[in-house]
């Protein structure tokens, strides 16, 4: 199989390599708790950004309820883990079963909400999904202490921190494989065609409602998986954490990384999570009020850098894709080295003869004979 067929999986290979490196370090010299916690937060953010990009970027629909699906997965998956704790303990089986349950429940909610809501477009769909997120948050916040913890939150089993980030990496790799394979299949092309022109897609026989629902359910499933990982990472789930602002933060990751770009979502989610974590660590006490201000300034500068016409020449000069193209010798300046170039293909008639206007005596006699026959 040619190497170019793997170009869509470069990010998956890189993340797999990073996961192996951190696993080796954890088993050998060990990792600090702060590093492990940061890894968990980054992985959860990347899963959320990639899954939301499936709806916002590839499908072209605006959803503001991603934190709501995450909340459903966190509470239901965490509750299932707590119920199964006497039988399974803090084992990997308990963690995996909880992830599956949380993801499936979130996917079910995505199907229930998506079936009527996806008939709407634009701002109307955004309002419906936003309302869903707020309703879910309010429901879990007003539950009893015995059921889902109420306002104090739901406590979840304390899974081994030395192994949790490994399972989180596995969940992230599965997420990338599923989304990448989907978008590079005929179903993915159907989804992107709906984004480009829904009327044309419907006219060509594409079941628009079905593909919209598929994308919404898959996105909700992985949001629920991220919610379960969040519940195990923090040991306590409070519904106030899954509000409107958190959905906007996930949407910012998608927009900042580029609509419809999986690699961009990975980079943006990593960058934003790292910035927020570092600011929360550095800016303490009276300086804590500057956290949101500096975070907003950094986001504004990144957006200006990516969209300002004055910086267009600078962006083109230091474009990462062009730099990689030069390294791989695929830039236009090396096109003459192609084996299929016209001057390297053997032909019976040279190119010089094709452009020559010289006529021999034999050619002249042949032309005169033809003219005489036509005159007769």
């Amino acid at each position: 199989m040619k190497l170019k067929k793997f170009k869509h999986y470069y990010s998956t290979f890189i993340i797999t390599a990073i996961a192996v490196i951190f696993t080796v370090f954890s088993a050998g010299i060990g990792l600090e708790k702060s590093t492990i916690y940061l890894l968990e937060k980054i992985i959860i953010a990347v899963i959320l950004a990639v899954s939301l990009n499936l709806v916002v970027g590839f499908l072209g629909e605006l959803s503001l309820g991603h934190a709501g699906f995450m909340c459903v997965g966190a509470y239901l998956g965490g509750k299932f883990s707590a119920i199964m704790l006497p039988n399974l303990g803090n084992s990997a089986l308990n963690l995996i079963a909880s992830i599956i349950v949380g993801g499936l429940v979130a996917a079910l909610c995505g199907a229930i909400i998506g079936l009527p809501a996806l008939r709407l477009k634009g701002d109307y769909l955004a309002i419906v999904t936003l309302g869903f997120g707020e309703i879910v948050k309010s429901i879990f916040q007003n539950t009893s202490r015995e059921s889902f913890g109420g306002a104090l939150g739901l406590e979840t089993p304390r899974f081994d921190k030395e192994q949790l980030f490994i399972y989180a990496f596995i969940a992230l790799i599965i997420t990338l494989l599923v989304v990448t394979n989907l978008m590079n299949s005929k179903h993915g092309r159907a989804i992107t065609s709906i984004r480009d022109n829904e009327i044309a897609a419907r006219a060509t026989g594409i079941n628009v409602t079905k593909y919209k629902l598929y994308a919404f359910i898959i996105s909700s499933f992985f949001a629920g998986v991220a919610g379960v990982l969040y519940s195990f990472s923090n040991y306590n789930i409070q519904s106030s954490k899954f509000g409107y602002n958190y959905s906007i933060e996930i949407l910012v990751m998608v927009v900042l990384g580029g609509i419809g770009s999986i690699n961009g979502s990975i980079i943006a989610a990593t960058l934003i999570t790292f910035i927020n974590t570092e600011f929360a660590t550095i800016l303490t006490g009276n300086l804590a009020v500057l956290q949101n201000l500096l975070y907003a300034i950094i986001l504004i500068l990144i957006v200006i850098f990516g969209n300002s016409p004055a910086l267009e020449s600078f962006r083109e000069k230091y474009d990462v894709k062009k730099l990689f193209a030069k390294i791989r010798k695929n830039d236009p300046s090396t096109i003459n080295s192609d084996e299929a170039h016209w001057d390297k293909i053997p032909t019976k008639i040279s190119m010089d003869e094709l452009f020559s206007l010289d006529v021999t005596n034999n050619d002249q006699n042949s032309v005169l004979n033809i003219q005489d026959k036509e005159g007769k």
Side-chain angles (χ1 to χ4, degrees):
M1 185 177 291
K2 295 182 179 180
L3 185 61
K4 64 180 182 180
K5 292 185 178 181
F6 292 101
K7 64 181 181 179
H8 301 295
Y9 301 94
Y10 287 160
S11 58
T12 306
F13 294 150
I14 293 173
I15 289 177
T16 303
I18 294 173
V20 171
I21 292 172
F22 277 106
T23 302
V24 171
F25 273 105
S26 178
I29 61 177
L31 296 174
E32 296 182 358
K33 292 183 177 180
S34 59
T35 303
I36 293 175
Y37 183 64
L38 178 60
L39 277 175
E40 293 170 356
K41 292 185 67 175
I42 289 175
I43 293 170
I44 292 170
V46 172
I47 293 176
L48 290 170
V50 172
S51 59
L52 182 61
N53 205 354
L54 182 59
V55 173
V56 176
F58 295 108
L59 183 61
E61 299 289 353
L62 181 59
S63 173
L64 296 179
H66 215 55
F69 297 111
M70 181 185 178
C71 181
V72 171
Y75 269 95
L76 274 299
K79 187 65 177 181
F80 177 83
S81 177
I83 294 173
M84 299 302 296
L85 187 62
N87 298 324
L88 300 178
N90 286 328
S91 62
L93 183 59
N94 191 2
L95 174 63
I96 295 172
S98 301
I99 289 175
I100 294 174
V101 170
L104 290 177
V105 174
L108 179 61
C109 291
I112 295 173
I113 299 299
L115 191 58
L118 288 175
R119 298 180 184 275
L120 304 174
K121 297 180 182 179
D123 299 338
Y124 298 102
L125 178 61
I127 292 171
V128 171
T129 53
L130 173 63
F132 165 77
E134 293 299 314
I135 290 172
V136 167
K137 184 186 75 170
S138 178
I139 289 175
F140 285 114
Q141 192 171 6
N142 291 280
T143 55
S144 62
R145 183 77 178 107
E146 293 76 17
S147 57
F148 291 100
L152 296 178
L154 175 67
E155 294 184 1
T156 55
R158 296 179 177 272
F159 192 80
D160 186 7
K161 282 287 186 180
E162 299 294 330
Q163 298 181 9
L164 180 60
F165 79 93
I166 300 175
Y167 291 98
F169 264 121
I170 295 173
L172 173 57
I173 293 170
I174 293 174
T175 304
L176 291 175
L177 288 175
V178 170
V179 175
T180 303
N181 286 330
L182 174 63
M183 299 317 301
N184 288 283
S185 66
K186 63 179 182 179
H187 305 292
R189 290 189 288 272
I191 291 173
T192 53
S193 68
I194 295 172
R195 175 197 63 189
D196 296 336
N197 194 319
E198 183 175 335
I199 297 176
R202 196 183 299 274
T204 56
I206 295 175
N207 192 334
V208 173
T209 303
K210 182 184 75 172
Y211 280 109
K212 280 186 176 184
L213 193 61
Y214 281 175
F216 206 70
I217 289 174
I218 295 173
S219 175
S220 303
F221 174 83
F222 287 113
V225 170
V228 177
L229 293 174
Y230 176 88
S231 67
F232 277 91
S233 177
N234 293 274
Y235 304 141
N236 183 270
I237 316 167
Q238 292 183 344
S239 59
S240 59
K241 300 291 184 180
F242 304 99
Y244 168 76
N245 290 330
Y246 195 50
S247 291
I248 293 298
E249 183 177 336
I250 302 170
L251 182 62
V252 168
M253 296 176 188
V254 175
V255 175
L256 189 63
I259 298 295
S261 172
I262 296 176
N263 296 335
S265 296
I266 296 172
I267 296 173
T270 303
L271 179 63
I272 289 177
T273 306
F274 178 78
I275 291 174
N276 279 335
T277 304
E278 289 300 313
F279 279 169
T281 304
I282 298 172
L283 301 176
T284 58
N286 295 330
L287 296 177
V289 296
L290 299 176
Q291 178 179 347
N292 293 332
L293 176 62
L294 295 177
Y295 172 67
I297 292 174
I298 291 175
L299 290 182
I300 291 172
L301 292 176
I302 293 174
V303 172
I304 291 175
F305 174 79
N307 297 276
S308 176
L311 299 174
E312 184 176 358
S313 59
F314 180 84
R315 292 195 302 269
E316 291 180 354
K317 183 178 180 181
Y318 297 99
D319 186 35
V320 177
K321 292 183 179 179
K322 292 183 178 180
L323 292 176
F324 276 113
K326 290 181 180 179
I327 294 174
R328 293 159 49 191
K329 296 181 180 180
N330 286 334
D331 57 307
S333 61
T334 61
I335 192 65
N336 290 333
S337 63
D338 188 4
E339 294 297 329
H341 197 260
W342 67 269
D343 61 355
K344 293 191 177 183
I345 300 177
T347 57
K348 294 181 179 179
I349 303 174
S350 64
M351 297 302 294
D352 293 335
E353 293 181 8
L354 290 176
F355 293 105
S356 176
L357 297 178
D358 296 334
V359 180
T360 62
N361 292 328
N362 294 331
D363 295 331
Q364 292 177 350
N365 294 331
S366 299
V367 172
L368 292 174
N369 292 331
I370 294 172
Q371 290 177 348
D372 292 338
K373 290 180 181 180
E374 291 177 352
K376 294 179 179 179

